Amino acid sequence: MEIATVMASDAGNQRSGVDVSCSESMIPLLSATRLTGTPSAMAAATLSHDADPDDPWVGTEVLRTYADDGARRAMTDLRTLISRCPSVASSRFGDNYRYATAPGPRLGDDSIHVSCSMTSGSGTLESGSILVRIGTTLVAVQEAGNLAGDRKFLTQLVEAALRRYQTTES
């Protein structure tokens, strides 16, 4: 597990992303790897589980704290973006991305489960993110592309991250 405690350049320091067209530049916002608003503090960890060498699981956990209502706005903006841009084609790689809010656990003050299906040629990978808002903080766990239907760790890791945050606030 790697932990970074510096503010990432992908913090998404402007809300203009909500108003732009549905293009491949929207993919980081739609996948929740970038969010609108600037957090006052941020930490990230890389997570992996490789018990099965034929089916490794890789993801990240990100904690963002905002000085104002930025966490609430980021959640609202994410829902708006997904409803406006459920499908995006990447001209660079020829991939097609489909985004949706998916059923997921109801956690914290607000939570959203974002699912993504990436099709390239005849192959399909899926990824997902669960974001949970607790006051002015967002706890997000995002999985990298996995085989279709492989969702065995995402919810468990989000619940563990929330328990840790509620116990230590970190």
Side-chain angles (χ1 to χ4, degrees), residues 3-6 41-45 61-65 170:
I3 303 224
T5 55
V6 296
M42 190 166 93
E61 178 184 330
V62 179
L63 178 69
R64 288 180 166 95
T65 301
S170 63

Side-chain angles (χ1 to χ4, degrees), residues 5 9 25 34 74-75 81 91 97-98 101 111 124 133 136 143 153:
T5 55
S9 60
S25 65
R34 295 186 186 176
M75 297 283 279
L81 289 168
S91 60
Y97 297 81
R98 295 202 51 79
T101 55
S111 59
T124 299
R133 183 179 63 80
T136 60
E143 62 184 347
F153 298 115

Side-chain angles (χ1 to χ4, degrees), residues 10-11 27-35 60 62 64 78 129 142:
D10 70 352
I27 291 172
L29 286 166
L30 290 164
S31 66
T33 57
R34 295 186 186 176
L35 297 171
T60 58
V62 179
R64 288 180 166 95
L78 181 58
S129 303
Q142 302 158 335

Side-chain angles (χ1 to χ4, degrees), residues 132-154:
V132 180
R133 183 179 63 80
I134 302 170
T136 60
T137 299
L138 284 179
V139 176
V141 175
Q142 302 158 335
E143 62 184 347
N146 294 306
L147 299 175
D150 189 6
R151 296 269 187 250
K152 58 187 166 201
F153 298 115
L154 185 59

Side-chain angles (χ1 to χ4, degrees), residues 7-165:
M7 184 78 68
S9 60
D10 70 352
N13 59 4
Q14 59 228 314
R15 289 179 53 96
S16 62
V18 176
D19 300 323
V20 298
S21 67
C22 299
S23 66
E24 63 188 291
S25 65
M26 295 287 291
I27 291 172
L29 286 166
L30 290 164
S31 66
T33 57
R34 295 186 186 176
L35 297 171
T36 58
T38 303
S40 57
M42 190 166 93
T46 300
L47 312 168
S48 66
H49 185 305
D50 58 359
D52 180 355
D54 295 328
D55 189 17
W57 190 94
V58 178
T60 58
E61 178 184 330
V62 179
L63 178 69
R64 288 180 166 95
T65 301
Y66 296 81
D68 56 12
D69 70 341
R72 183 192 53 75
R73 284 194 322 262
M75 297 283 279
T76 300
D77 289 350
L78 181 58
R79 285 184 174 100
T80 300
L81 289 168
I82 290 171
S83 68
R84 252 187 359 100
C85 301
S87 182
V88 178
S90 171
S91 60
R92 214 165 72 187
F93 300 109
D95 300 338
N96 290 305
Y97 297 81
R98 295 202 51 79
Y99 295 94
T101 55
R106 299 179 133 234
L107 303 165
D109 297 325
D110 186 15
S111 59
I112 184 173
H113 180 182
V114 177
S115 68
C116 175
S117 175
M118 300 158 281
T119 305
S120 179
S122 63
T124 299
L125 291 177
E126 293 181 351
S127 63
S129 303
I130 296 179
L131 290 83
V132 180
R133 183 179 63 80
I134 302 170
T136 60
T137 299
L138 284 179
V139 176
V141 175
Q142 302 158 335
E143 62 184 347
N146 294 306
L147 299 175
D150 189 6
R151 296 269 187 250
K152 58 187 166 201
F153 298 115
L154 185 59
T155 301
Q156 294 171 28
L157 289 170
V158 168
E159 290 169 347
L162 285 177
R163 282 191 301 275
R164 185 175 52 255
Y165 174 75

